[in-house]
């Protein structure tokens, strides 16, 4: 593979600049020596926010510094999320319905994740660098995604309960949106050469240290794990959950766990305090984590994951994640990541609907095998999937397959899906089911397929909206660029204004 800095990616630079700096903004900026402290007035920044009145409430207290305005906006967001957590606990403490209990449990985890993302987004100095600013934008986008997912968990609740949740989270989402707008506008006004730059240096991701990069280059037998997990009792522990419990919180050093070959029937969650963890196995088909929780069994989609990771800096290599609930159990996640700067290398993610939940933050997948039916690569993250096999399974009778479902709801969020240099094919006979590259679930859904092999399973229309004779908002951004194979023929593609097909360049 050629470097993403090579001349052949010049056109792709323009594509990214034309849309947003999103999923491919997984590396570091080249502007590390630039600092900025905005001279733009707080009042001007408030006027440009999505919810000016909420911003004026802060600004009227005599705030005359833009960075201070941003900081106070984030701090007020934190206070609101803390308040909501308390209110929801008290409001729903006597609920007996299992699906509602699961939604509340999911929401409490998500509120804690949102608080963690918000706390990270507070400046600790009187200036910020471009890199720090991009971090803030990523974490604020993730904090918003956490709240949106909390709301999603109550989709089957009564109107009254949904209204209670929505009303309580309304102020939090507005404040986070304003905070993101303020820090983004400072960036636009002071440092305006960001657009058009592809912020990735290929593989491995440039955020990794030289030591971490060696973890992908060395053979497994050369690795020196801190802990060994073996189901047969030949390691330190028999289960992955036991190993996770001994990982020190917020460790600055890489903590490596080796999981020997075998099938581990457990649901694993690596919390946000467990950072810089690496798990590696004996191969994606040799070391397998398997479970079968599902939305169809009354579990919130966010909690259905066989393997979920929240701790930043996570790495997985040579391991498989399965959800065996099957197509009749609806949403059933095999792998979920909210972990910023997480990397998955030579992993298998196998399920049906919602197999890979790339929930939020920056994620990179390389040489993986991803199986599913409906929306099986979805979320609100900035995710790059490279040189992987994407394999479509047979859905239930009458269903269509949709590979991707991006959930970007606002232009200011740094999110989107990029699928590059992958092979997209059928895992089995599909029984005549149509297969589409994706469907837009939000007004700003953003997905790019570039330089892939699209086999004949891809429907000539390419993309699916779901509502007969309707078109999605013009604000979506879907693109196909230099794909090949029988499924890459674009003559029959849907006529959406938000779909770009092999954009010509001067």
């Amino acid at each position: 593979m050629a470097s993403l800095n090579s001349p052949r990616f010049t056109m792709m630079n323009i594509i990214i600049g034309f849309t947003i700096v999103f999923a491919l903004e997984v590396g570091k900026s080249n502007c590390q020596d630039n600092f900025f402290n905005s001279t733009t007035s707080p009042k001007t920044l408030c006027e440009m926010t999505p919810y000016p009145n909420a911003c004026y409430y802060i600004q009227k207290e005599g705030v005359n510094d833009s960075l201070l305005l941003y900081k106070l906006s984030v701090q007020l967001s934190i206070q609101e999320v803390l308040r909501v957590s308390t209110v929801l606990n008290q409001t729903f403490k006597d609920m007996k319905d299992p699906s509602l209990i699961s939604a509340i449990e999911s929401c409490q985890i998500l509120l804690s994740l949102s608080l963690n993302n918000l706390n990270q987004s507070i400046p600790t100095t009187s200036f910020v660098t471009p890199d720090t600013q991009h971090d803030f934008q990523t974490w604020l986008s993730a904090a918003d995604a956490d709240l949106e997912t909390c709301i999603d968990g109550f989709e089957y609740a009564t109107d009254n309960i949904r209204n209670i949740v929505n009303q309580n989270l309304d102020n939090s989402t507005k404040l986070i949106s304003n905070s993101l707008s303020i820090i983004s506008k400072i960036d636009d006004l002071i440092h305006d050469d960001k657009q058009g730059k592809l912020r990735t240096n290929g593989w491995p991701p440039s955020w990794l240290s030289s030591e971490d990069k060696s973890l992908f280059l060395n053979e497994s037998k050369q690795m020196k794990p801190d802990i060994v997990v073996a189901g047969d009792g030949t390691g330190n522990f028999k289960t992955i959950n036991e190993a996770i419990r001994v990982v020190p919180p917020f460790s600055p050093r890489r903590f490596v766990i080796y999981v020997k070959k075998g099938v581990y029937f457990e649901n694993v969650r690596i919390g946000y305090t467990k950072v810089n963890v690496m798990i590696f196995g004996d191969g994606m088909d040799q070391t397998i984590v398997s479970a079968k929780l599902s939305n169809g069994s009354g579990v919130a989609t966010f909690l259905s994951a066989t393997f979920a990771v929240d701790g930043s800096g996570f790495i997985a290599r040579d391991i498989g994640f399965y959800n065996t609930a099957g197509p009749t159990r609806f949403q059933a996640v095999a792998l979920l990541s909210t972990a910023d700067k997480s990397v998955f290398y030579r992993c298998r993610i196998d399920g049906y609907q919602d197999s890979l939940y790339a929930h939020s933050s920056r994620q990179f997948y390389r040489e993986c095998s991803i199986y599913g039916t409906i929306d099986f690569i979805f979320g609100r993250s900035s995710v790059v999937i490279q040189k992987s096999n994407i394999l479509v399974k047979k859905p239930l009778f009458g269903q269509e397959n949709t590979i991707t479902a991006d959930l970007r709801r606002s232009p200011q969020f740094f999110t989107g899906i990029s699928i590059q240099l992958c092979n997209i094919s059928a895992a089995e006979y599909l029984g005549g089911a149509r297969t589409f590259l994706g469907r837009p679930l939000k007004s700003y859904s953003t997905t790019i397929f570039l330089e892939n092999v699209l086999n004949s399973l891809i429907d000539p229309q390419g993309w699916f909206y779901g509502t007969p004779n309707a078109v999605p908002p013009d604000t979506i951004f879907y693109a196909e660029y230099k794909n090949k194979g029988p499924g890459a023929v674009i003559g029959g593609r849907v006529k959406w204004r938000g779909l770009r097909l092999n954009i010509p360049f001067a």
Side-chain angles (χ1 to χ4, degrees):
M1 170 190 168
S3 165
L4 291 184
N5 291 325
S6 68
R8 67 190 285 254
F9 283 90
T10 301
M11 290 186 181
M12 196 56 220
N13 290 1
I14 300 172
I15 290 177
I16 297 302
F18 183 65
T19 57
I20 54 170
V21 181
F22 74 115
L24 296 182
E25 197 234 329
V26 294
K28 292 185 177 179
S29 165
N30 293 321
C31 311
Q32 295 180 12
D33 295 330
N34 294 331
F35 300 91
F36 34 84
N37 194 352
S38 177
T39 57
T40 307
S41 74
K43 183 179 179 181
T44 300
L45 288 173
C46 282
E47 290 170 352
M48 294 187 287
T49 61
Y51 306 100
N53 288 337
C55 186
Y56 293 145
Y57 174 81
I58 303 170
Q59 190 264 328
K60 72 179 182 180
E61 300 299 322
V63 176
N64 56 12
D65 176 81
S66 297
L67 195 59
L68 178 59
L69 177 71
Y70 164 74
K71 184 175 181 178
L72 292 175
S73 182
V74 175
Q75 289 174 334
L76 195 56
S77 303
I78 291 170
Q79 292 176 21
E80 261 302 297
V81 174
L82 286 169
R83 182 194 66 79
V84 170
S85 180
T86 301
V87 169
L88 294 185
N89 265 339
Q90 293 173 345
T91 303
F92 298 131
K93 64 181 179 180
D94 297 323
M95 293 292 175
K96 305 298 183 184
D97 179 79
S99 62
L100 186 56
I101 291 171
S102 181
I104 295 165
E105 180 186 351
S106 171
C107 190
Q108 289 298 343
I109 293 172
L110 287 156
L111 290 174
S112 69
L113 292 175
S114 186
L115 285 170
N116 182 58
N117 282 311
L118 289 170
N119 277 308
Q120 291 184 103
S121 302
I122 297 177
T124 56
T125 64
S126 60
F127 57 83
V128 293
T129 67
D131 282 345
T132 304
Q133 212 159 24
H134 296 321
D135 286 340
F136 291 164
Q137 290 166 321
T138 296
W139 297 330
L140 289 170
S141 297
D144 180 85
D146 297 329
L147 301 189
E148 284 291 302
T149 308
C150 168
I151 294 170
D152 290 346
F154 292 89
E155 62 179 321
Y156 301 121
T158 64
D159 289 344
N160 182 53
I161 289 175
R162 285 199 304 274
N163 287 336
I164 290 172
V165 175
N166 279 311
Q167 289 169 9
N168 273 283
L169 286 172
D170 185 60
N171 283 340
S172 301
T173 55
K174 287 178 178 177
L175 287 165
I176 292 171
S177 293
N178 278 358
S179 300
L180 184 52
S181 176
I182 292 166
I183 197 69
S184 299
K185 291 297 186 297
I186 292 174
D187 185 73
D188 289 343
L189 293 167
I190 303 301
H191 186 75
D192 61 4
D193 67 347
K194 175 180 65 176
Q195 296 298 318
K197 290 190 176 181
L198 188 63
R199 300 182 187 280
T200 177
N201 294 321
W203 174 256
S206 60
W207 67 62
L208 294 171
S209 67
S210 57
E211 293 80 6
D212 282 346
K213 289 178 181 179
S214 69
L215 298 174
F216 301 101
L217 302 175
N218 294 336
E219 295 297 323
S220 296
K221 61 184 178 182
Q222 297 176 291
M223 310 273 276
K224 295 181 179 179
D226 295 283
I227 285 178
V228 177
V229 176
D232 61 6
T234 58
N236 303 101
F237 300 103
K238 288 186 176 182
T239 69
I240 299 170
N241 278 306
E242 289 176 300
I244 296 302
R245 280 194 284 271
V246 303
V247 175
F250 300 110
S251 173
R253 63 171 288 269
R254 177 69 59 192
F255 193 95
V256 180
I257 300 172
Y258 167 43
V259 185
K260 289 187 176 182
K261 66 180 180 180
V263 181
Y264 297 81
F265 295 101
E266 52 182 320
N267 289 93
V268 177
R269 174 158 231 116
I270 301 176
Y272 71 85
T273 65
K274 310 286 188 175
V275 302
N276 296 319
V277 174
M278 177 184 185
I279 290 183
F280 74 96
D282 288 319
M284 68 170 72
D285 297 315
Q286 297 296 315
T287 300
I288 296 169
V289 190
S290 181
K292 56 180 180 180
L293 295 180
S294 69
N295 192 263
S297 61
V299 176
T301 301
F302 184 78
L303 295 182
S304 71
T306 297
F307 193 97
V309 56
D310 304 318
S312 63
F314 178 77
I315 295 173
R317 170 182 160 171
D318 295 320
I319 190 167
F321 308 106
Y322 286 62
N323 191 310
T324 60
T328 63
R329 307 307 286 175
F330 309 115
Q331 298 96 327
V333 178
L335 172 65
L336 180 150
S337 177
T338 74
D340 191 25
K341 298 182 178 179
S342 52
V343 182
F344 298 85
Y345 179 55
R346 297 196 314 215
C347 293
R348 177 166 175 160
I349 301 119
D350 197 327
Y352 286 84
Q353 184 173 352
D354 293 3
S355 304
L356 171 56
Y357 197 167
H359 181 272
S360 52
S361 301
R362 292 163 285 197
Q363 306 184 23
F364 206 116
Y365 296 76
R366 175 83 171 192
E367 295 177 39
C368 293
S369 293
I370 305 170
Y371 293 74
T373 54
I374 300 170
D375 304 342
F376 65 95
I377 299 171
F378 81 111
R380 298 175 171 89
S381 66
S382 303
V383 57
V384 175
I385 301 173
Q386 281 185 351
K387 297 199 76 172
S388 295
N389 291 311
I390 296 174
L391 299 121
V392 180
K393 291 182 174 182
K394 181 181 178 181
L396 295 176
F397 179 77
Q399 290 181 334
E400 293 88 6
N401 288 317
T402 46
I403 295 170
T404 65
D406 179 59
L407 300 173
R408 185 175 183 235
R409 69 176 182 86
S410 169
Q412 63 185 341
F413 296 128
F414 272 39
T415 59
I417 299 171
S418 174
I419 296 179
Q420 181 185 27
L421 297 169
C422 295
N423 188 290
I424 299 171
S425 58
E428 58 192 357
Y429 172 63
L430 300 181
R434 301 169 73 188
T435 297
F436 300 90
L437 296 173
R439 60 173 177 157
L441 295 184
K442 297 292 180 180
S443 295
Y444 290 86
S445 291
T446 300
T447 302
I448 298 177
F449 281 79
L450 60 148
E451 300 179 310
N452 303 288
V453 176
L454 308 182
N455 288 292
S456 58
L457 75 162
I458 301 300
D459 190 272
Q461 291 188 0
W463 305 85
F464 178 74
Y465 190 43
T467 304
N469 302 317
V471 296
D474 295 344
T475 48
I476 67 167
F477 186 90
Y478 278 2
E480 298 179 48
Y481 184 74
K482 285 192 174 181
N483 298 298
K484 56 186 178 181
V489 178
I490 62 175
R493 290 298 193 251
V494 290
K495 308 302 182 184
W496 297 346
R497 291 189 65 182
L499 174 62
R500 279 75 166 176
L501 299 171
N502 291 336
I503 306 170
F505 296 96

